[in-house]
Amino acid sequence: MLDRRGDTRRQRIMMMRYGCWAMVPLALSLMVADSVRGTAAAVAASPVTDIEPTTEGAPPAMRRLTAQQFRNSIAVAFGPDIRISGRLEPDQRVDGLVAVGSSRASISPAGFGQYVAIGQDIAAQVTDKAHRGALIGCQPRDVARFDEACARQVFSSYGMKLFRRPLEREELKTVLRISRDSTARLGDFYGGLRYGLATMLASPNFLFRMERTEPDPARSGSQRLDAYSKAARLSFLLTNAPPDSILLASAKSGALHTREDLNAQANRLMASPQFTDGVRAFFWDLLDFDAFAALTKDANQFPGFNRQVAVDAQEQTLRVIIDQLVEKGGDYRSLFTDRSSFVSRRLGSIYNLPVTAQTGFERQAFSADSGRTGILTDVSFLALHSHPGRSSPTLRGKFVRETFLCQPIPPPPPGIDFSIVEDEHNGLRKTARDRLVAHRTQKTCSGCHKLMDPIGLALEGFDAQGSRRLLENGSPIDTSGDIDGAAFQDAAGLGHVLAQSPRLPSCLATNLYRYGTGRNPAPNEKSWLGYLSKAFVRDDYKFTALMRRIATSNAFYHVAAAAPARSPGTKIAMPAVRKGATQ
Amino acid sequence: MNMSLNRRAILRSAFGVMAAGLPLPVLDLFLDGNGTAFAATGAPLPTRFGTWFWGLGLMPDRWIPAQTGAGYVMPDDLHRLKAFRDKITILSGFNVPLDGASNNPHNTGVTAVRRGLANVADMDLPSFDVAIADRIGRGTRFASIEIACSNDPSVSHSGRSVGAPNPSEVDPVALYNRLFGAGFKDPNGSKFVADTADLLQKSSLSATLEGQRSLMKKIGAEDRARLEQYFTSVRQAEDQLAVQMLPPAPAKACVVPGKPSSREPTTLVSDVVATHKVMVDLMVLGLACNQTKVFNIALTEASSPLRTPDNPTGYHQMTHEEAVDPKLGYQPHCAQIADLTMGAFNDLLTALDGIKEGDGTLLDHSLLFAHTDVSNAKSHDVNGLPIFLVGTASGKVRSGLHIDGRGDPITRAGLTMQQVMGVPVGNWGIKSLEANKAITEILV
């Protein structure tokens, strides 16, 4: 198991290097300066130019398909009719992103067994009587015998789609042999095809995105991604799916290596319906939505919170994101300041809002006195970063710092005792704020808690499932606070302060780049990230402009000529840290 | 000698070719006079190995017996296990030296116990159950089965590398399907039919392996280890398919259970313990039916979210927040959940002991290693975290002792488990966690 968020080796080293938790502010500022996640902010003062800084990139990647990418790959290759039944290897989250975890993940024996079973089932569907007419583009001369020409056509076509490149001669020979032998044993051409397809579906060339390089004609002695690998990077970034046939054709002809064609392909994909899938996938990853799978709430306190509510809560936020950032081509900061949203009937009961639509979502705007503004007051955020029966200013504040401002918070120190400050029955400390103030007077805790708690306390007007409340244990809730000196009175004010933070755009730019490359930025990419974040601001914080800029940049496709040996231990991430030992 | 090879030889000599439709009645006459081995082959009844993990330790001082050696008085926190006292060895006083590494709460203890290192940044090591599965698990359909009573399959402490954890089954229906669904060959079935699909699948897997060499050349050094892990998984699948292509060994204790119903995941301790019992009952029959010899169960993640209906705060939070009752001297609510947790462990022991097999029970033919992440959850202390060993591994291990490790590295436990299960390893663990001496008190 890998850590779920932020708890990086770098942090632990920093903590060791800089000593105790009481010194975290110092460690943190050094970390931020040092951290690639904070690089963009650190260079935010540099002027913007139109010239993209030169980068060397990092070695080519080998990324395991995420569960969603596996599903999308099957849909792109065989159409939406083909069911996927069974469990895929669980995604692994490293440094806050499943995308980064995909570059560390391998396949366990049990997981491989599942891929084999799922692949067999898919291959059986593709070749069954109901689908073969549509999906197998040729007919054998005799259904009981092997027809090499037809099989060759089938495997060449699906090989291209599954491996995201043409099959090599040996690879084609192997699947033809499997198919021929299986046909002979079964007396059925389609049965033979089935085993050939199943072989490809269990192949590392399908399950991993294996990038390939070739000599770069523009840079003597350097390597570049080959056109197919470039196509895959582009396509997975923009659509979270493998390249479609048009993009593959562009890779085949080599046109994709030209600036014009790269721009045209990016524009085409961004105009396609699949682009929303790509944007959703990025925010699903960024917002930690995989954690919903294990989220439960105290049924006594929150009888209305069930699995379906959890599904709707994610959908609500993703709809807002698509509406504002893609449909309206809007400003990323509006996600923290806008009150328009989408609500389902099930969510209506949590938000205490009448919803007319019997099924699905309807557009609604939260009123000014609802206390809600932006995605931080969505159930998806409030409920996910709470305990089953209690809100958590610390978990909420931690997530905002780490995810939207790229300021990693170290894990709590080992020898902590909260019993004095956490006793809810202590008549003097009725609210979370009262308890946390006591907390922050403890020297070892204060360094981090003062970074997290003011943000989380602004959201205390919402309980563990995200419903509005004005009192806690009979006491009024004070939602005022500040971030790094900028004061606010409530959740709406928090959203506006966040929207003004120079870290907000640079952090998103860095995260989107990490998401696209599946790794933390290399030291040589510092100027590039500074440039990217400046450009994002200049582009009026338009998310689509940021996406396009990455997709059509040189930096995104650069690969380091040789793979330097990793420093010891960088492959290792800690076993999962569940939501922290904090309030 | 390897049992499957023996059976293979016998069947080949009897029928010339691999037989389809071979009737295999399972009778006592397959066992030798002592009931410890298959009479036909001389191969011993299989010995199983399992781990059982629970989060957040136990109340300090309430689980350590006052006496060492045999005949200890069962401590308060373990009263639910009383019936099994003579089969349980309690390890106390084994430490986790950190060598200057920070104690990563709820992780360091598990990593030290399972992977033999305190700081996972040092090296990527397999969990020791994988080494045992490699040794004993190859002749069964599954090298190991992982289970977690959580809705998160990544709750698993077993894996060849951190990048490839063995995912847990989290739903009883999925566990049933894995063990007894498609591909299950009833050892007591009247007919064995070799499955053409298995044969074809095997050549498909072999084809995958053929590409290994050329693929390895094309990738960078740093990804090679991950690809090697993938190919290891392919080879393991191939081995297991080979097992499927032979008639199953007789298994008198094997009973195919009915299909369970799905359970809605919650964090209520009563629900989780009930789900655990359903899963354990299925898994025990999976063992009896020779589907696997190795299992890894995690009751919950280390930062256990368990709670009681009257308390919305999860167990993990409670360990940090609940005051120590001055009269009792411990945290009463936490003690209550720890007690129910041990009840779940009792369910596992009862299930294993309920399967009669040869001269004893499945529990006797097992070695069970139960551990947690901390000794004192309140302070995240990892020194002296509790470990229980249960079963005799078919007579290879003495049970019913309390052993005080007197500060020795906790890796002595993992080393001993590996040696008992036949892994050729003389020392295990790194830095101060390197152990080179087994816990000899338990060796017969």
Side-chain angles (χ1 to χ4, degrees):
Chain A
M1 290 194 297
L2 304 175
D3 65 343
R4 297 186 62 79
R5 177 159 296 282
D7 179 19
T8 61
R9 178 172 172 269
R10 178 187 299 274
Q11 285 173 18
R12 288 187 290 279
I13 291 170
M14 297 303 283
M15 278 186 292
M16 279 183 276
R17 189 183 298 165
Y18 300 109
C20 71
W21 275 260
M23 291 179 69
V24 157
L26 167 65
L28 199 65
S29 63
L30 290 167
M31 251 192 303
V32 166
D34 179 39
S35 164
V36 284
R37 295 176 72 178
T39 300
V43 296
S46 60
V48 193
T49 67
D50 280 328
I51 301 162
E52 181 187 322
T54 310
T55 61
E56 291 300 318
M62 179 180 122
R63 299 171 64 178
R64 195 180 78 197
L65 292 181
T66 65
Q68 189 57 50
Q69 287 167 356
F70 182 97
R71 288 190 200 97
N72 292 348
S73 298
I74 297 305
V76 167
F78 304 117
D81 272 5
I82 301 300
R83 291 181 325 274
I84 296 169
S85 45
R87 187 198 64 202
L88 301 162
E89 282 274 64
D91 292 328
Q92 299 180 1
R93 188 170 280 279
V94 171
D95 293 342
L97 288 177
V98 165
V100 175
S102 74
S103 297
R104 313 274 178 92
S106 186
I107 292 179
S108 69
F112 181 71
Q114 297 281 342
Y115 282 124
V116 167
I118 291 167
Q120 292 276 357
D121 185 45
I122 291 169
Q125 292 177 65
V126 170
T127 52
D128 69 15
K129 286 187 176 147
H131 294 98
R132 65 177 62 148
L135 295 177
I136 306 297
C138 52
Q139 287 190 335
R141 286 185 303 268
D142 176 355
V143 76
R145 288 169 183 274
F146 186 64
D147 181 331
E148 174 147 349
C150 181
R152 188 178 284 274
Q153 185 186 326
V154 170
F155 294 132
S156 299
S157 160
Y158 283 124
M160 180 83 145
K161 289 175 175 166
L162 295 173
F163 288 12
R164 304 166 283 270
R165 59 168 173 76
L167 292 191
E168 289 173 355
R169 181 197 297 260
E170 281 303 310
E171 290 169 340
L172 184 58
K173 248 171 80 181
T174 300
V175 282
L176 285 171
R177 189 191 76 221
I178 294 287
S179 191
R180 184 185 301 112
D181 293 353
S182 305
T183 302
R185 194 165 277 271
L186 297 165
D188 174 23
F189 173 71
Y190 291 103
L193 285 186
R194 189 172 106 202
Y195 282 93
L197 283 175
T199 303
M200 292 200 292
L201 287 166
S203 164
N205 292 300
F206 170 60
L207 298 174
F208 293 93
R209 292 161 55 187
M210 303 246 201
E211 293 183 338
R212 298 177 168 206
T213 59
E214 60 189 17
D216 185 348
R219 296 185 302 166
S220 169
S222 293
Q223 294 281 305
R224 67 174 183 184
L225 285 180
D226 74 10
Y228 290 106
S229 301
K230 193 170 179 177
R233 265 200 199 188
L234 176 66
S235 179
F236 278 106
L237 171 69
L238 296 179
T239 66
N240 200 35
D244 61 11
S245 54
I246 300 173
L247 189 53
L248 287 170
S250 162
K252 186 178 182 188
S253 71
L256 193 59
H257 282 307
T258 66
R259 159 88 14 229
E260 298 69 33
D261 191 64
L262 177 64
N263 288 345
Q265 293 291 345
N267 287 336
R268 181 181 68 81
L269 290 173
M270 288 182 70
S272 75
Q274 285 73 34
F275 181 56
T276 57
D277 297 340
V279 177
R280 277 171 167 262
F282 166 64
F283 280 99
W284 180 91
D285 192 350
L286 186 74
L287 297 175
D288 216 0
F289 278 178
D290 53 328
F292 268 103
L295 183 75
T296 61
K297 292 291 165 194
D298 178 8
N300 289 341
Q301 288 188 73
F302 307 115
F305 196 96
N306 54 33
R307 297 220 143 254
Q308 202 52 52
V309 167
V311 169
D312 283 8
Q314 297 169 67
E315 180 62 21
Q316 176 196 9
T317 302
L318 293 173
R319 276 182 187 235
V320 167
I321 288 168
I322 295 302
D323 181 54
Q324 296 188 9
L325 304 191
V326 181
E327 308 284 334
K328 294 180 181 151
D331 180 330
Y332 167 59
R333 297 172 302 173
S334 68
L335 295 185
F336 301 90
T337 57
D338 201 295
R339 291 203 302 272
S340 63
S341 193
F342 296 86
V343 192
S344 71
R345 186 162 271 245
R346 276 184 288 257
L347 287 175
S349 67
I350 311 275
Y351 287 119
N352 199 20
L353 271 181
V355 176
T356 319
Q358 291 290 334
T359 55
F361 284 75
E362 68 184 34
R363 191 184 283 271
Q364 288 219 10
F366 289 112
S367 64
D369 61 2
S370 69
R372 295 187 195 269
T373 299
I375 61 170
L376 295 187
T377 57
D378 281 356
V379 167
S380 68
F381 178 81
L382 297 166
L384 193 57
H385 305 289
S386 290
H387 300 299
R390 210 167 74 188
S391 68
S392 173
T394 304
L395 291 180
R396 289 171 179 175
K398 181 173 188 281
F399 191 82
V400 169
R401 281 279 179 195
E402 294 189 332
T403 305
F404 299 118
L405 301 176
C406 293
Q407 293 173 306
I409 306 285
I416 38 173
D417 182 353
F418 307 160
S419 54
I420 308 157
V421 295
E422 294 297 346
D423 182 4
E424 285 183 86
H425 307 298
N426 181 329
L428 297 174
R429 300 195 183 105
K430 288 184 176 168
T431 67
R433 178 180 293 270
D434 298 335
R435 295 190 291 276
L436 283 169
V437 165
H439 218 148
R440 276 149 58 195
T441 56
Q442 293 195 346
K443 203 176 162 193
T444 49
C445 305
S446 62
C448 295
H449 276 274
K450 71 183 181 194
L451 293 172
M452 300 181 283
D453 299 347
I455 296 174
L457 287 168
L459 299 166
E460 272 297 279
F462 306 99
D463 64 18
Q465 69 167 356
S467 286
R468 182 94 165 117
R469 64 176 175 186
L470 298 173
L471 302 173
E472 185 181 7
N473 294 322
S475 284
I477 295 168
D478 173 5
T479 54
S480 65
D482 74 279
I483 302 179
D484 308 330
F488 50 79
Q489 289 304 310
D490 52 19
L494 167 68
H496 285 278
V497 166
L498 272 178
Q500 297 307 313
S501 169
R503 289 196 155 274
L504 193 79
S506 63
C507 183
L508 185 78
T510 306
N511 276 332
L512 185 58
Y513 188 68
R514 293 197 312 130
Y515 171 83
T517 54
R519 59 175 170 80
N520 291 324
N524 71 65
E525 293 172 319
K526 196 170 172 177
S527 312
W528 147 250
L529 287 172
Y531 160 86
L532 187 65
S533 101
K534 278 289 197 187
F536 180 34
V537 173
R538 200 183 49 179
D539 291 334
D540 298 325
Y541 302 85
K542 285 199 172 83
F543 179 77
T544 47
L546 176 66
M547 190 72 123
R548 180 177 284 107
R549 194 172 289 274
I550 292 175
T552 57
S553 68
N554 294 320
F556 185 53
Y557 305 100
H558 273 171
V559 283
R566 269 184 176 147
S567 58
T570 46
K571 291 181 73 128
I572 321 276
M574 287 296 291
V577 179
R578 309 310 297 182
K579 299 301 177 193
T582 46
Q583 128 131 351
Chain B
M1 200 173 179
N2 183 300
M3 187 175 74
S4 66
L5 282 177
N6 268 331
R7 286 191 296 119
R8 189 199 296 256
I10 287 160
L11 291 161
R12 284 230 167 111
S13 66
F15 299 96
V17 291
M18 190 178 21
L22 174 70
L24 267 183
V26 182
L27 300 167
D28 266 343
L29 57 85
F30 274 89
L31 299 172
D32 68 7
N34 300 322
T36 55
F38 296 117
T41 64
L45 284 169
T47 300
R48 287 76 161 200
F49 178 79
T51 68
W52 193 81
F53 172 83
W54 80 98
L56 304 172
L58 291 167
M59 291 292 108
D61 307 328
R62 284 177 52 83
W63 63 272
I64 303 175
Q67 315 78 12
T68 54
Y72 59 82
V73 177
M74 206 59 155
D76 294 340
D77 262 12
L78 308 184
H79 73 97
R80 287 176 188 266
L81 306 171
K82 206 149 51 181
F84 293 103
R85 187 198 64 172
D86 292 340
K87 296 191 178 190
I88 300 177
T89 287
I90 296 175
L91 303 184
S92 69
F94 285 90
N95 281 354
V96 180
L98 297 177
D99 294 315
S102 63
N103 175 358
N104 188 273
H106 306 290
N107 289 311
T108 295
V110 181
T111 313
V113 169
R114 296 294 283 270
R115 298 181 192 263
L117 73 171
N119 185 357
V120 288
D122 284 347
M123 208 183 286
D124 197 353
L125 294 174
S127 58
F128 76 78
D129 57 281
V130 169
I132 291 174
D134 280 348
R135 193 70 190 171
I136 69 169
R138 284 282 161 92
T140 53
R141 186 170 160 222
F142 302 110
S144 65
I145 291 284
E146 282 68 39
I147 293 171
C149 305
S150 154
N151 204 35
D152 181 356
S154 65
V155 175
S156 165
H157 301 302
S158 169
R160 199 174 295 282
S161 71
V162 178
N166 292 320
S168 288
E169 296 295 344
V170 297
D171 173 39
V173 175
L175 177 64
Y176 174 87
N177 288 339
R178 182 124 176 256
L179 289 170
F180 300 106
F184 172 71
K185 301 206 163 50
D186 188 346
N188 302 338
S190 57
K191 276 187 173 180
F192 170 75
V193 181
D195 198 341
T196 312
D198 288 342
L199 196 68
L200 297 178
Q201 198 177 325
K202 189 162 186 308
S203 38
S204 164
L205 292 178
S206 305
T208 304
L209 287 168
E210 279 168 28
Q212 178 173 6
R213 188 169 293 176
S214 71
L215 203 51
M216 282 292 189
K217 279 189 208 146
K218 289 177 186 141
I219 59 169
E222 54 189 58
D223 290 325
R224 220 164 274 160
R226 293 163 60 217
L227 200 57
E228 269 165 18
Q229 163 73 66
Y230 164 88
F231 281 113
T232 303
S233 298
V234 179
R235 278 191 294 276
Q236 204 158 318
E238 200 187 27
D239 286 354
Q240 283 157 12
L241 213 47
V243 172
Q244 287 290 90
M245 292 162 69
L246 290 168
K252 190 183 174 195
C254 172
V255 176
V256 181
K259 194 168 185 167
S261 43
S262 212
R263 296 181 62 88
E264 183 72 13
T266 81
T267 52
L268 286 179
V269 62
S270 52
D271 287 344
V272 171
V273 169
T275 302
H276 173 263
K277 186 165 188 319
V278 172
M279 305 263 267
V280 154
D281 287 345
L282 287 172
M283 192 213 58
V284 163
L285 289 172
L287 293 172
C289 297
N290 289 331
Q291 301 303 293
T292 187
K293 288 183 200 166
V294 178
F295 61 90
N296 295 289
I297 303 176
L299 184 67
T300 64
E301 53 266 57
S303 303
S304 168
L306 292 180
R307 61 185 188 85
T308 51
D310 56 339
N311 191 335
T313 306
Y315 184 18
H316 174 219
Q317 287 299 114
M318 289 304 291
T319 61
H320 293 301
E321 297 178 8
E322 190 183 21
V324 173
D325 183 304
K327 276 192 206 141
L328 296 171
Y330 57 86
Q331 298 164 295
H333 185 74
C334 291
Q336 184 194 352
I337 297 189
D339 182 49
L340 294 167
T341 297
M342 286 300 111
F345 188 43
N346 184 60
D347 289 341
L348 171 64
L349 302 190
T350 305
L352 286 166
D353 210 38
I355 305 275
K356 305 295 171 210
E357 212 184 41
D359 62 345
T361 70
L362 190 46
L363 184 61
D364 299 324
H365 298 138
S366 300
L367 182 56
L368 188 56
F369 180 94
H371 73 102
T372 179
D373 57 325
V374 286
S375 53
N376 183 355
K378 195 176 180 67
S379 64
H380 294 135
D381 193 1
V382 288
N383 282 328
L385 64 82
I387 291 178
F388 308 132
L389 312 176
V390 199
T392 67
S394 309
K396 290 198 267 296
V397 161
R398 192 173 288 129
S399 59
L401 309 173
H402 167 220
I403 295 165
D404 179 353
R406 298 171 193 278
D408 278 1
I410 204 153
T411 35
R412 285 187 66 200
L415 174 68
T416 311
M417 296 301 97
Q418 294 177 73
Q419 291 184 345
V420 168
M421 299 311 293
V423 180
V425 57
N427 53 347
W428 183 68
I430 63 166
K431 295 188 181 171
S432 300
L433 273 167
E434 181 173 338
N436 49 26
K437 184 167 176 273
I439 301 172
T440 48
E441 294 93 320
I442 69 164
L443 301 179
V444 171

